[in-house]
Amino acid sequence: MAAEPAAACSLVSYTNNGRYIGGDLTSQISTKADTIQIVRVTAKHLIRRTYSRGEWYLNFGDFDVPNDRPEFTDEFVFELSVVETLKDGPRPEEFLYESSPRILGYDRSALRDLIADASEDVDAQSHPNSLPIWLLDRPGDDGYAFIGAAEGSGLGGGECFSPYMLDVGQTLVALRDSMGRLYPAVGAFPLEIDVEFATGQRRNRRFALNMQSLVPVSGLDDPFVARLREALGSR
């Protein structure tokens, strides 16, 4: 189940921007992910709808929506179709392989609500699940290790997990495990990326961050896709 957008995140601060251990981001993805594909969102199906103030008024005659009622949000199951397979890993015979990936998430209307109060100048194409360019070369920004995926960090898990916001027709890189499932951002068996950060005591601390399983790209020639192709070609 997708998590609600985090209002605030507790990010762990270090004294530097960190570095990847055992290869850069795309090199680790190419080695560790069982299957890497370019996919397109082909359909969405409404699965859950929460109350708006207007709906509450229609049903109960007042606008005092209880605090435990979230704001109006449509939650969908999105269908993903494979455009190209960059890496096709082994499929264990003893497990049922999921041939058609699907995921729970929100659509662009939730994204508009998320950024409405941030700035009137926000790019209409901006997306909370996009990877910032600097993340390809270093795992942290201004000395932060992104334990959560909020603030457009790209590496996620824990209390700051940012839910997927998708549009029909959107193109993404999909990272899938040996059973065909998208790697989870939280929970068991995520796709772990090894990093190292310096602590305040000038000691190096090594640990793993969870990689998100869907990365928005502009198309087959997106720079992130090009980096993946290069990494896969060098293996």
Side-chain angles (χ1 to χ4, degrees):
M1 176 177 176
E4 292 293 332
C9 290
S10 299
L11 302 180
V12 180
S13 180
Y14 292 89
T15 59
N16 64 5
N17 287 324
R19 65 189 185 96
Y20 291 108
I21 302 297
D24 62 13
L25 179 61
T26 49
S27 295
Q28 291 195 49
I29 291 173
S30 69
T31 301
K32 296 178 179 181
D34 288 292
T35 297
I36 303 174
Q37 295 171 317
I38 299 174
V39 301
R40 185 166 291 121
V41 182
T42 53
K44 65 179 182 180
H45 307 283
L46 181 65
I47 189 172
R48 189 175 297 111
R49 169 166 287 180
T50 57
Y51 272 103
S52 67
R53 292 179 69 247
E55 286 179 308
W56 191 265
Y57 175 76
L58 179 65
N59 287 323
F60 299 101
D62 65 70
F63 291 106
D64 297 325
V65 183
N67 292 331
D68 60 350
R69 280 286 184 179
E71 292 297 324
F72 175 82
T73 304
D74 286 342
E75 197 170 11
F76 299 90
V77 171
F78 291 88
E79 293 182 25
L80 309 174
S81 64
V82 177
V83 175
E84 181 181 351
T85 297
L86 304 180
K87 177 185 178 183
D88 196 5
R91 304 178 184 183
E93 295 181 358
E94 63 270 25
F95 295 107
L96 178 65
Y97 189 85
E98 296 186 8
S99 58
S100 299
R102 57 200 180 278
I103 194 167
L104 192 65
Y106 303 97
D107 68 0
R108 180 67 66 167
S109 63
L111 175 60
R112 286 197 299 268
D113 293 339
L114 184 67
I115 66 177
D117 298 329
S119 172
E120 296 181 357
D121 300 323
V122 174
D123 184 353
Q125 299 302 314
S126 63
H127 201 287
N129 303 128
S130 296
L131 295 184
I133 295 175
W134 55 259
L135 190 61
L136 290 174
D137 300 310
R138 66 181 191 277
D141 185 36
D142 295 330
Y144 284 93
F146 286 99
I147 305 301
E151 307 295 337
S153 68
L155 293 175
E159 64 178 355
C160 299
F161 170 52
S162 181
Y164 288 109
M165 295 185 182
L166 305 172
D167 297 309
V168 173
Q170 185 178 12
T171 303
L172 310 108
V173 170
L175 308 175
R176 303 170 67 186
D177 65 17
S178 61
M179 288 181 280
R181 301 173 302 186
L182 295 167
Y183 285 99
V186 294
F189 308 113
L191 181 60
E192 295 185 330
I193 304 298
D194 296 317
V195 300
E196 180 182 79
F197 280 82
T199 68
Q201 291 75 35
R202 297 183 180 180
R203 296 177 181 176
N204 292 331
R205 181 190 172 197
R206 296 189 177 190
F207 52 93
L209 298 178
N210 297 350
M211 179 65 198
Q212 66 191 61
S213 60
L214 291 176
V215 180
V217 294
S218 59
L220 300 180
D221 297 324
D222 186 271
F224 181 72
V225 176
R227 292 275 294 260
L228 276 176
R229 293 187 193 277
E230 182 181 358
L232 289 165
S234 64
R235 291 178 62 249

